[in-house]
Amino acid sequence: MHLAMALSILALTLVAATRAFAPWAARPPHRDLAAIQPAAAAVRAIGMVGLASFALTLVGATVTGSGASWACSSWPFCEGWTIWPGDLLGRVHMLHRLVALGVGVALIWLAVRLAAWPGIPRGIFRWMIAACVLYLIQIGLGAINLWMGFPALLNTLHLGLATAIWAAVVIAWVWALGEAQWAEPALQEAVRLRHLWEPYFTLTKPGIVALLLVTTAGAMLIAQGGLPPILTFIYTLLGGFLVSSGANAMNDVWDADLDQRMHRTARRPIPAGRIGRREAAVVALLFSALGLLLLWTFVNATAAGLALAGWIWYVGIYTMILKRWSPQNIVIGGAAGGFAPLVGWAAITGCVDPMALFPFALIFFWTPPHTWAFAILTERDYREAGIPMLPVVTGARPAALQALIYTGILAALGLAPFLMGAMGRLYLAGSLLLNAWLLGLALRLWRDPSKAHARRLYHASNAYLFMFFSCSS
């Protein structure tokens, strides 16, 4: 925490100094958004690398402070050819090395990109080159530090170089931000910092991520029978957030052509041109990889494996195959959402036992009525894009009947924990009330498959999931 505050103070000082110097003011302000786009992309890319280098420095300090420095006595692998040790300290040490490898690759890639991007001042490029050179020296120093037994002087020099790299990246980022925001008054609103970062936030589909995290947290509380260990809870939710955000972003990358044809999704970052498809794919993969590393390092391999399986199911099976070819796309593909509570369960127990299959099945049977209600509501969009959602293929009433059937199965499934003796009467009362409410809305939609009833069922299903896991916990 002390180091994080010190790095933050240094960054704020550099921000103030660079903005006071204002090297971008030597040229006339930008007059159109197209001229701003290269600098805006540089702000996002340098910012991501900066956050990664900040995290890397903190992980390195954790390695030193926890005694994990001695967990791996060889370089670049751990204890001979071991890549991923079995003990926690060894995993923390190797996490530092893997993140260091990723940051190094990102720095070099970014320097090469900045050299090729039109409209990027040479000053930004030079600061990133300085960061790359310092980083290469830092890697060699890290290896020497290990071989010499971590003497105090080299430890201090290692941290000093990390701070210098952080400073160079911060200056490059502030310069790129100033360049992006140096525009005519009419463009000032479009180049505010929140608008420059908004594409990344929108790519993650925060509403979907929030629902997934609710199910993950609920499963952890059920498996623990109370509050789980706070660090396990935090790392599981953080890892789950990153993996699910990466999966959602990759979904946007793959479906960019479909999104462009639908009125509802045409304003998403990729079809609207606010972010490139390649940039979005890089962000998606980085988020996913970092989330899996966190789960594997600080939680357990089972939770990380289940998160990876959910990612593959959603991106590989649903997004790339089923969504475009089968009206049963959401039935099979919807199982991807069921992996979120499995991750939470495995984070506590280290395995997947029969009781863990209950929240998985709950999500599996909840997804079709939830999605088909939304598909009835937006049927025209799906039809114009050529996506074979069930209401497009069969019509609204048959789809509403299928939604009613799945809701009935969901209601019956809700009784299982009580009948198995895993839950008490309070759970039973809450489950009966919630399922009766959702079943009633599904019945109304079947009788009158109007958009108004579809909207009610769609919104109610979101609330149902949150309240059901709250009741179960």
Side-chain angles (χ1 to χ4, degrees), residues 358-373:
F358 167 69
F360 177 87
L362 186 81
I363 301 296
F364 180 84
F365 289 107
W366 168 88
T367 301
H370 168 78
T371 308
W372 287 334

Side-chain angles (χ1 to χ4, degrees), residues 44-259:
R44 292 191 293 268
I46 297 171
M48 289 291 288
V49 171
L51 289 174
S53 65
F54 181 83
L56 175 61
T57 305
L58 296 185
V59 172
T62 302
V63 169
T64 303
S66 65
S69 301
W70 299 97
C72 293
S73 59
S74 60
W75 191 90
F77 300 106
C78 185
E79 306 301 336
W81 292 96
T82 303
I83 297 177
W84 204 248
D87 62 298
L88 177 59
L89 291 181
R91 292 199 301 270
V92 171
H93 190 120
M94 287 306 296
L95 175 66
H96 177 61
R97 295 189 190 180
L98 289 173
V99 174
L101 175 63
V103 172
V105 171
L107 274 170
I108 295 170
W109 169 82
L110 183 54
V112 172
R113 289 296 305 275
L114 287 174
W117 270 342
I120 297 295
R122 292 295 88 187
I124 298 174
F125 172 70
R126 291 189 190 103
W127 278 109
M128 291 307 300
I129 286 294
C132 288
V133 172
L134 290 172
Y135 200 83
L136 292 175
I137 297 172
Q138 177 80 317
I139 292 173
L141 184 62
I144 295 170
N145 201 12
L146 173 66
W147 292 331
M148 294 187 65
F150 304 102
L153 178 61
L154 286 184
N155 275 336
T156 304
L157 186 56
H158 196 61
L159 179 58
L161 274 174
T163 306
I165 294 165
W166 164 246
V169 173
V170 168
I171 293 171
W173 181 80
V174 178
W175 195 330
L177 178 62
E179 184 70 26
Q181 294 182 330
W182 185 240
E184 295 287 352
L187 301 177
Q188 287 299 314
E189 181 61 30
V191 296
R192 290 183 182 274
L193 183 58
R194 67 174 182 271
H195 294 313
L196 296 176
W197 281 97
E198 175 272 337
Y200 284 177
F201 179 75
T202 306
L203 272 177
T204 65
K205 300 179 183 176
I208 295 175
V209 172
L211 273 179
L212 292 173
L213 293 183
V214 165
T215 65
T216 303
M220 293 177 75
L221 292 168
I222 296 170
Q224 182 70 34
L227 291 175
I230 186 64
L231 288 179
T232 301
F233 190 74
I234 291 172
Y235 282 125
T236 303
L237 293 185
L238 180 58
F241 164 78
L242 289 168
V243 174
S244 56
S245 295
N248 287 333
M250 190 56 73
N251 172 269
D252 275 5
V253 171
W254 189 263
D255 283 348
D257 59 322
L258 298 179
D259 289 342

